[in-house]
Amino acid sequence: DAKTTQPPSMDCAEGRAANLPCNHSTISGNEYVYWYRQIHSQGPQYIIHGLKNNETNEMASLIITEDRKSSTLILPHATLRDTAVYYCIVNSSPRGSQGNLIFGKGTKLSVKP
Amino acid sequence: DTGVSQDPRHKITKRGQNVTFRCDPISEHNRLYWYRQTLGQGPEFLTYFQNEAQLEKSRLLSDRFSAERPKGSFSTLEIQRTEQGDSAMYLCASSSRAYEQYFGPGTRLTVT
């Protein structure tokens, strides 16, 4: 089972920041938080990951709370093309480096004009 | 295009038939994954290869499913004696680092 909890859906106005929350209260000290998104009829796309520090790349920013029990993915200026299902994933492979991702149901983000 | 490719994109088959899907990963990636996704759900892990070695298989991968990755390049996923419950999107992903995976467009299987 997924080790994360996300709201099933969110709306965001085009051009505004989209803040997608994720709870992972049982995260272990060596587990990373990964975010993927899946645009309709496409395969998932890697966005960003982090361990304890905040991270930023060209797609998004990831804010992880100090206790690491929750995180927020921020899309600073959402566009209509950001409409997708966003998955928050905690590294939960017991063998660490295998890499099989365990997806939950994610958050369906709808960006509206 | 140097991304992950999958073939075919769509497959309709009758119950009881065998089907085979192909995945061509990004060339320098040694890791290859298969996932299955049904409507409204997130993808579910099926199996993982590192080079040509199949290192992990999910309990979802019944005896009717087999996957290969000869020579550590492309991979095939075969389903024997298909059932209606096998209808799903089959996704392939490749990576050089465990959790940063690059997914293909998927093969949509419909079993009638």
Side-chain angles (χ1 to χ4, degrees), chain A residues 34 36 38 41-46 49 87 90-105, chain B residues 9 31 33 35 37 40-45 48 50 55-56 89 91 97-106:
Chain A
Y34 283 76
Y36 280 75
Q38 188 171 24
S41 297
Q42 297 183 22
Q45 177 189 21
Y46 165 80
H49 74 278
Y87 297 100
V90 167
N91 167 358
S92 57
S93 168
R95 275 170 275 189
S97 64
Q98 302 287 59
N100 44 303
L101 298 167
I102 298 179
F103 291 81
K105 292 189 177 183
Chain B
R9 295 292 307 277
R31 299 168 183 258
Y33 306 82
Y35 293 82
Q37 186 172 26
Q41 305 296 316
E44 298 172 291
F45 168 76
Y48 159 67
Q50 184 157 335
L55 297 185
E56 189 163 354
M89 176 75 83
L91 293 160
R97 291 191 284 183
Y99 290 92
E100 295 179 42
Q101 297 176 19
Y102 294 82
F103 284 78

Side-chain angles (χ1 to χ4, degrees), chain A:
Chain A
D1 289 347
K3 296 174 65 172
T4 61
T5 304
Q6 300 177 253
S9 64
M10 292 182 63
D11 290 343
C12 178
E14 189 178 18
R16 303 297 294 269
N19 297 287
L20 293 103
C22 179
N23 287 323
H24 31 80
S25 58
T26 61
I27 192 169
S28 301
N30 62 347
E31 290 182 318
Y32 284 72
V33 180
Y34 283 76
W35 283 84
Y36 280 75
R37 73 179 182 183
Q38 188 171 24
I39 296 170
H40 184 60
S41 297
Q42 297 183 22
Q45 177 189 21
Y46 165 80
I47 301 173
I48 198 168
H49 74 278
L51 181 63
K52 58 177 76 172
N53 298 320
N54 298 337
E55 303 288 345
T56 296
N57 63 19
E58 64 279 3
M59 290 184 68
S61 294
L62 174 60
I63 308 298
I64 302 175
T65 58
E66 193 168 342
D67 64 8
R68 302 208 326 121
K69 293 185 176 181
S70 65
S71 60
T72 301
L73 180 75
I74 301 171
L75 308 178
H77 305 287
T79 71
L80 299 179
R81 289 176 294 180
D82 292 321
T83 292
V85 177
Y86 287 77
Y87 297 100
C88 170
I89 299 167
V90 167
N91 167 358
S92 57
S93 168
R95 275 170 275 189
S97 64
Q98 302 287 59
N100 44 303
L101 298 167
I102 298 179
F103 291 81
K105 292 189 177 183
T107 295
K108 181 172 174 51
L109 176 69
S110 298
V111 181
K112 299 182 184 298

Side-chain angles (χ1 to χ4, degrees), chain B residues 57-107:
Chain B
K57 293 198 293 186
S58 161
R59 284 172 292 178
L60 293 173
L61 215 65
S62 75
D63 291 345
R64 296 185 297 106
F65 288 70
S66 62
E68 295 182 342
R69 192 183 182 196
K71 302 179 183 178
S73 56
F74 71 92
S75 175
T76 58
L77 177 69
E78 181 183 15
I79 308 174
Q80 296 182 326
R81 305 181 303 282
T82 52
E83 302 172 355
Q84 287 190 318
D86 297 331
S87 294
M89 176 75 83
Y90 290 84
L91 293 160
C92 174
S94 70
S95 73
S96 57
R97 291 191 284 183
Y99 290 92
E100 295 179 42
Q101 297 176 19
Y102 294 82
F103 284 78
T107 295

